[in-house]
Structure formats: C-alpha cells, structure tokens
Amino acid sequence: MLEKLAELVYQQADAHFAIIALDLDGFKEINDTLGHDYGDLLLQAVTQRIVNILPENAVAARLGGDEFIVLIDKIDNKAIVETTAQNIKLAIIENYNIKNKHVYVTASIGITLFPEDGKTVETLFKYADLAMYKSKELGRNCYQFFNPNMLDLLVKKRKLIEDLRIGLKQGQFELYYQPITDLISGRICKAEALIRWKHPTRGIVSPLEFIPVAEETGLIKELGLWVAKTATSDLSELLALGAEHFQISINVSPEQFKGNDQWITNWFEHMQMLGLNKDAIIVEITENLLMENEDSIRIKLMKLKKHGITIAIDDFGVGYSSLSYLQKMDVDILKIDKSFVDDLVMQSNSRDLCRTMIIMARHLNIQVIAEGIETQEQKKILTDFGCEFGQGYLFSKPLPLEQFKENYFGFSIPNNQLLVM
Ligand code: C2E
Ligand code: CA
Ligand code: CA
C-alpha cells in the first residue's frame, strides 16, 4: 500500500520525499518469551506511538512482523526527516505497560531520500532497509541515512556467502579446543570445540563473522553437522589417549533446532559407529532458545537429553531466562557469560550477580562454568563463590587438536600423572 503511495508521490514532477524503514530490536525474543498476545499488543502500542508523532506530511504502514515504513512527502530539508527519525526512536523507547508487565523495546532505523539516493521506489525501499541493518550493526536503537558505502557491505556479504559455500565443499574448516578446568583440582575435564575457518586468502576468519551469515543462509545445517561429527571423532581420539570421563562441548545454533531433526539422527549414527557414549557430549545452547514456546524445539532438546547428552546454557545472564526455568527444562550446566566475569573485580553488582547465580545453580544441582577468566583475581573470586569450572585465556586459548593433545595428553607425561580427570 505504502509502496503504491510512494509511486504516486514519485510521479510528481518536483517530488522530494524520504522513506524511513524501522525494525524493532529483539522483538522476536519478547514474542517468544512473553507470548504472541503480548507481542501483538506491543505492536499496536508501537504503531500508536509512531502515528502520534508523525508530522502532517507523513504516513506510516506496518510491513508485517515488526517492520514499519514511514513516508514523508514534500520535504524541503533533511532536518525534518532527522527530527522525525529521532522522535520515532524516542517514542518507541519509552516503557510499555502490557497487561501489567513492563516491556522495553528499541528500534533500528534506516532512511533514504528521493531524488538523492535512488531512482526507483524499489531501490529506495531496498536502500532504506540496508541503512536500517547498518543501525542494527552499530548497536541498535539508532538511525542511519543511506550512503553508497553501505553497498560495499552488501557486496562483501555476498562474497562471504559464496566463499562459505566453497569452504564447506573444500573442507576449509577446523575445530579448535579450549580446556575447561576444575577450579579446585586444576584438572582439565572438559573442552569446548570452537570452529575456525581457514580461508585460502584471508587466513583465519572468526566464527563471529561467519556463523551469523551461515545461520541466515541455512548453511549452518551442514556446517553444524560437520562440527558435531568432527568433535565426536576428535573426542574418540582423546578417549583413546586415556582421557577417561572427558567431555567435549559443542555449540549448536538455534537455527539447527528449527526444521527437521535429521541431523541429530545422522550424528547419533556417527557416534554409534565410533562406539562413543553420548554422555561424553555437551551441547551448548543459548538461553533464549530454551525460552522459545515452540514444541518442535522442545522435542529436539528432549531427544538429546533422553539419549544422555548434557545440556549447557551458554552466555548465561545476558538473555531472558530465569534459573527456575533452567530447572524445569532439566538443564545440566550453566555457563556464566564473560561480561560478568570481566566486571567481577571492579563492580560489586557483577560480583553479587555471579555469587547469586552460582549459589542458586548449585542449589538446583546445576554445574557452573565461568567463561572468559583472564586473571588470577577473577579465578579466586569465582572459586571462593563455589564455582566449579572455569574457562578462559588464564588457562589456555583455544588450540588446534594436535596442540591440545600435546599440551594436555602429552606422551611425555606418564599415564598415572595425566592432567585429565
Ligand atoms: P562462545 O560459545 O561464547 O565461545 C567463547 C568465545 O570466547 C570463543 O570465541 C573463545 O575463543 C573466547 N574466549 C574464551 N576465553 C576467553 C578469554 O579469556 N578472553 C577472551 N577475550 N575471549 C575468550 P570464538 O572462538 O571466537 O567464538 C565466538 C563465538 O562463535 C562463540 O562464542 C560461539 O557463539 C560461536 N561459535 C564458535 N564455534 C561455533 C560452532 O562450532 N558452532 C556455532 N553454532 N557457533 C560457534
Ligand atoms: Ca559456547
Ligand atoms: Ca559463551
């Protein structure tokens, strides 16, 4: 509808207008955690606020989901557009009271201008969207005017997708292992598998760059199965070196819990072929996945649990879940997010939060791993709080398998002095 209106405006001889694309940040999480009723009421409230602050020469429409478009016609300067974007941002961020619950949401906003930014309405919509994604990238809750540099980003992303496909075909990926240490005994009893991409021209590419793209394109399914199979093959090598009761932890993306569960079946077959016990495997999921209302996700989680796989909640404390929910879902391990560990020494509220998380988790019979430990001081505070396990650069960076084997299963160390529990 708005597109048609934009076409009409566009056909005026001296047309001068702006398109503002707007997407709510974290709306999906709100919808998933509080339920669709709340989500719908929130969208109505947001719509009302946008409409209330629009200038006379503007109209708004919801494109679907949590995306909105605003068209401002007959603009004689950029300032009015900027003021409108700023007002929308401020109106949205105000607290919402939905069925007596306080909800907080922000918006990422992208803006294009006609005639400066594009010659067709389609292009203007596309570029406004691109500018909106730039706002997301810059940390959300902000607005960006389109500029042609943003097209470079698009080109780079397309290249990354193409390279990822090639990388998968040519086996350019490798798993690194980072030890997880028992804080009391100092023994290494688990390790987290972390993927690395050995790009032929760029060198090692961080998962932070390519995992989101693999998720967006669905390539994560193939990549995720590769990770699961490779980690279990590597684990059986470690077990053969005498690492009794050793566990390998793998990261599983929320996207792998959507769609069918063929990958779990394939993975289990692989483990059976290796003669591997499933209780030697930890699957790390995000806390928001746990809060999803979808039955199909819960069924897959249950399937993993039923077969004896340990479930860990990664980056705990930054999402929306609660400790009582962890118990309800029968979670085994909680990994305290690095951000809390970073602030342990300087900030007393982070210390209080960590202590509470550890005490509560222990009370619920959930193991705790603190992530990103870099200093002795952090380690000491966590150990004093009763945290059982730690992971971080203080102990070791993630290492290639061979290096990991050498460091922790070194043949020079006699069997009875193995550092592994
Ligand atoms: P994560 O699961 O939270 O993994 C921990 C990240 O923190 C790793 O980054 C690790 O190298 C880093 N780290 C560990 N200790 C320290 C420390 O003391 N200081 C600092 N500054 N960093 C530390 P990495 O390997 O770059 O992985 C980043 C993220 O990419 C992971 O965060 C995880 O979300 C994702 N990822 C990695 N491998 C996989 C995978 O196989 N599958 C999926 N789906 N995601 C993966
Ligand atoms: Ca992890
Ligand atoms: Ca983590």
Side-chain angles (χ1 to χ4, degrees), residues 387-407:
C387 181
E388 294 159 279
F389 302 101
Q391 179 181 353
Y393 293 173
L394 176 69
F395 309 103
S396 168
K397 287 199 167 176
L399 304 167
L401 179 67
E402 285 313 310
Q403 180 81 53
F404 184 82
K405 279 201 277 194
E406 209 173 301
N407 285 14

Side-chain angles (χ1 to χ4, degrees), residues 1 21 53 89 95 99 121 130 144 149 166 169 177 235-236 248 264 276 290 298 303 308 340 343 377 385 393 406 412:
M1 175 215 85
I53 57 95
K89 189 188 101 163
N95 226 322
K99 289 205 225 166
V121 170
L130 207 59
Q144 286 288 305
N149 290 342
I166 298 171
K169 270 205 194 93
Y177 291 92
L235 175 63
S236 65
I248 288 281
I264 301 182
L276 204 72
L290 199 68
R298 216 162 289 162
K303 183 168 171 176
F340 297 102
D343 295 343
E377 220 173 340
F385 287 168
Y393 293 173
E406 209 173 301
S412 54

Side-chain angles (χ1 to χ4, degrees), residues 11-26:
Q11 280 157 15
Q12 297 164 6
D14 57 347
H16 216 117
F17 63 93
I19 287 174
I20 300 182
L22 182 160
D23 186 284
L24 298 183
D25 304 319

Side-chain angles (χ1 to χ4, degrees), residues 178 192 194-196 206-208 211 220 227 251 253 284 314-315 338 371-374 392-393 398:
Q178 187 177 33
E192 177 174 3
L194 293 157
I195 195 167
R196 297 291 178 266
S206 157
L208 294 173
I211 292 285
I220 193 71
V227 168
N251 292 282
S253 152
E284 295 190 15
D314 207 355
D315 310 332
K338 181 178 182 300
E371 293 192 280
I373 303 181
E374 292 180 347
Y393 293 173

Side-chain angles (χ1 to χ4, degrees), residues 20-25 82 85-86 88-90 92-93 106-111 128 131-145:
I20 300 182
L22 182 160
D23 186 284
L24 298 183
D25 304 319
E82 188 149 13
Q86 176 72 4
I88 293 175
K89 189 188 101 163
L90 293 175
I92 289 178
I93 207 173
T106 57
S108 294
I109 298 168
I111 309 163
M132 185 270 288
Y133 278 112
K134 185 71 196 169
S135 294
K136 293 243 182 231
E137 228 178 79
L138 290 172
R140 306 166 157 201
N141 187 29
C142 62
Y143 59 84
Q144 286 288 305
F145 281 88

Side-chain angles (χ1 to χ4, degrees), residues 16-18 57 72-84 113 116 145:
H16 216 117
F17 63 93
N57 50 339
I72 316 179
D73 189 15
K74 298 190 176 63
I75 46 173
D76 42 25
N77 61 54
K78 215 172 147 180
I80 171 92
V81 183
E82 188 149 13
T83 311
T84 308
L113 302 172
E116 293 90 327
F145 281 88

Side-chain angles (χ1 to χ4, degrees), residues 19 119 123 134 172 243 260 288 304 347 360-361 368 406:
I19 287 174
K119 298 230 172 325
T123 309
K134 185 71 196 169
Q172 293 169 1
N260 67 44
N288 289 342
L304 295 177
Q347 295 202 8
M360 292 285 288
V368 181
E406 209 173 301

